[in-house]
């Protein structure tokens, strides 16, 4: 009997695995390809995110991105393309983290939230009463144009049409009325 030598199969190239994935859509094929570069992906994520757990999450999220993007992209050099995809993913994570505002948890404030809300409601109600009182002290034309502009959301042209006043007079009445209200409100503080 002749001994049979075990013939080792040559490792598949990135290009062959990429083509096989595009043809079959098989996640097993993509996983074999991706596993070759998980150290590169993780290292890149760690470089940008500077957090091990966030980097591990990013490695998983990037795999999901590959599932979506590879079928529609023409990739010549998978390793280079994957590096750029990873870098962009990390930069997007960093940008979105900057937009999120972190607030320190303060139990004392949390326990009194209902009272704080009640205080702000009461203050607002007092401000409305002051405003109503100050509105009553405005000259009649100012009061009318202020009500039309702010309370009924009418533009200058609509007020001109409704009142028959000139456009410049309407503008002047609203500006003067707003200034007079501000002075009155400050006086009653």
């Amino acid at each position: 009997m002749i001994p049979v030598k075990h013939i080792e199969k040559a490792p598949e190239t990135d290009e062959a695995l990429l083509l096989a994935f595009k043809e079959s859509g098989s996640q097993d094929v993509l996983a074999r390809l991706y596993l070759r570069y998980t150290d590169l992906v993780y290292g890149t994520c760690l470089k940008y995110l500077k957090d091990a757990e966030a980097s591990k999450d990013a490695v998983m999220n990037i795999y999901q991105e590959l599932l979506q993007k590879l079928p529609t992209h023409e990739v010549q050099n998978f390793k280079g393309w994957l590096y750029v995809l990873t870098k962009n993913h990390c930069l997007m994570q960093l940008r979105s983290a900057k937009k999120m505002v972190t607030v320190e948890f303060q139990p004392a404030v949390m326990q009194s939230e209902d009272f704080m809300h009640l205080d702000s409601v009461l203050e607002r109600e007092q401000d409305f009463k002051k405003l109503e009182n100050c509105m009553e002290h405005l000259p009649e034309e100012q009061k009318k144009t202020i009500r039309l502009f702010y309370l009924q959301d009418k533009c200058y042209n609509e007020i001109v049409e409704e009142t028959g006043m000139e456009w410049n007079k309407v503008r002047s009445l609203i500006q003067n009325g707003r200034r007079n209200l501000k002075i009155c409100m400050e006086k009653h503080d």
Side-chain angles (χ1 to χ4, degrees), residues 102-158:
T102 338
V103 178
E104 185 180 325
F105 177 69
Q106 297 175 344
V109 172
M110 292 303 292
Q111 292 174 355
S112 63
E113 182 181 303
D114 292 338
F115 297 116
M116 287 173 54
H117 176 69
L118 185 59
D119 287 345
S120 68
V121 168
L122 291 174
E123 284 175 23
R124 205 165 168 204
E125 197 173 301
Q126 288 172 347
D127 287 343
F128 282 127
K129 285 181 181 175
K130 281 186 223 170
L131 181 62
E132 285 175 10
N133 184 37
C134 288
M135 282 286 287
E136 292 306 315
H137 290 90
L138 288 178
E140 201 55 44
E141 285 184 325
Q142 282 183 6
K143 188 187 322 181
K144 184 175 186 173
T145 55
I146 290 285
R147 286 188 190 280
L148 289 170
F149 188 75
Y150 287 104
L151 302 178
Q152 295 180 23
D153 288 329
K154 298 203 182 246
C155 69
Y156 286 5
N157 291 337
E158 291 172 323

Side-chain angles (χ1 to χ4, degrees), residues 17-36:
L17 286 171
L18 199 52
L19 183 62
F21 171 70
K22 284 201 173 206
E23 289 174 352
S24 68
S26 167
Q27 285 195 35
D28 290 336
V29 173
L30 181 59
R32 279 199 318 245
L33 178 59
Y34 188 59
L35 283 173
R36 292 178 178 179

Side-chain angles (χ1 to χ4, degrees), residues 49 88-102:
L49 302 176
N88 289 339
H89 178 87
C90 292
L91 292 174
M92 291 302 290
Q93 292 281 16
L94 293 171
R95 277 190 207 118
S96 67
K98 282 183 182 177
K99 290 179 185 174
M100 292 175 56
V101 177
T102 338

Side-chain angles (χ1 to χ4, degrees), residues 55-81:
S55 297
K56 288 176 188 173
D57 290 343
V59 168
M60 297 308 294
N61 293 333
I62 289 167
Y63 178 77
Q64 293 300 316
E65 256 186 81
L66 283 177
L67 283 171
Q68 294 172 346
K69 291 186 176 181
L70 268 179
T72 59
H73 283 78
E74 196 60 43
V75 178
Q76 301 300 321
N77 174 359
F78 180 74
K79 183 179 179 182
W81 184 82

Side-chain angles (χ1 to χ4, degrees), residues 38-56 58-59 62 83-84 86-94:
T38 52
D39 289 341
L40 168 75
V41 171
Y42 178 74
T44 304
C45 291
L46 198 55
K47 172 185 167 188
Y48 283 97
L49 302 176
K50 296 178 183 5
D51 179 81
E53 290 305 311
S55 297
K56 288 176 188 173
V59 168
I62 289 167
Y83 173 77
V84 171
T86 302
K87 183 177 85 167
N88 289 339
H89 178 87
C90 292
L91 292 174
M92 291 302 290
Q93 292 281 16
L94 293 171

